[in-house]
Amino acid sequence: MVVFCGAIMSAGWNHCFNATFQKVTNPVTANYRYTRGYIKIHRGFYSYLLCTQKGTNTWKYDEITNLVHHYGSKLSEGGNYSVEVTDHSLGAALGTFFGFYAFTDERVTVHKPVQVYTFGGPYVNGYHFSDAFQYQERQRKLQHARFHNSRDWVTHLSFNWTEQQSDRLNNST
């Protein structure tokens, strides 16, 4: 099981507030409805999980996946293990991204789909990401359950909002 927590340190919050979209290569290579060669995802969360880390020259995603594969292979019979991801709040965004990239990784999805359970997380993607994500759910490589409180405004907030929209939100309360 992979668990991501919400942001508690200033570095984590800096990733959260870097809320513009980043255009990246779509890891889903299958031909599905609305296929695009790129997807747009939250720049701050992308930079945390999928950019080269200083000092190690690896992605944080690869560091986590290597550990999951190492322990999953050792602790399961014949290397037949499943991956479950859970998280809360802003960590839910990281869990969503991790699950999305993990389903394209044969170290993780050889035997079973990746299961992601997010609690109180914001929306973190563009339309092309959603199309690719839903395609993988239909292919049964990824299963996602999103839980949220209907009155929690963070869970309904789209990260492609502008400063002007933010000001309107602040003035309406």
Side-chain angles (χ1 to χ4, degrees), residues 17-34:
F17 291 123
N18 186 359
T20 58
F21 278 137
Q22 168 114 11
K23 191 175 180 178
V24 298
T25 302
N26 186 350
V28 181
T29 57
N31 187 15
Y32 58 91
R33 187 175 179 194
Y34 306 120

Side-chain angles (χ1 to χ4, degrees), residues 14 32 61 67 86 88 100 105 109 114 117-119 128 134-136 144 156-157 160 168:
N14 288 340
Y32 58 91
Y61 165 82
L67 288 170
T86 189
H88 177 259
F100 179 73
D105 193 325
T109 59
V114 175
Y117 305 94
T118 59
F119 296 87
H128 303 315
Q134 290 170 4
Y135 171 77
Q136 290 304 95
H144 182 232
H156 300 287
L157 189 64
N160 60 354
R168 274 190 249 148

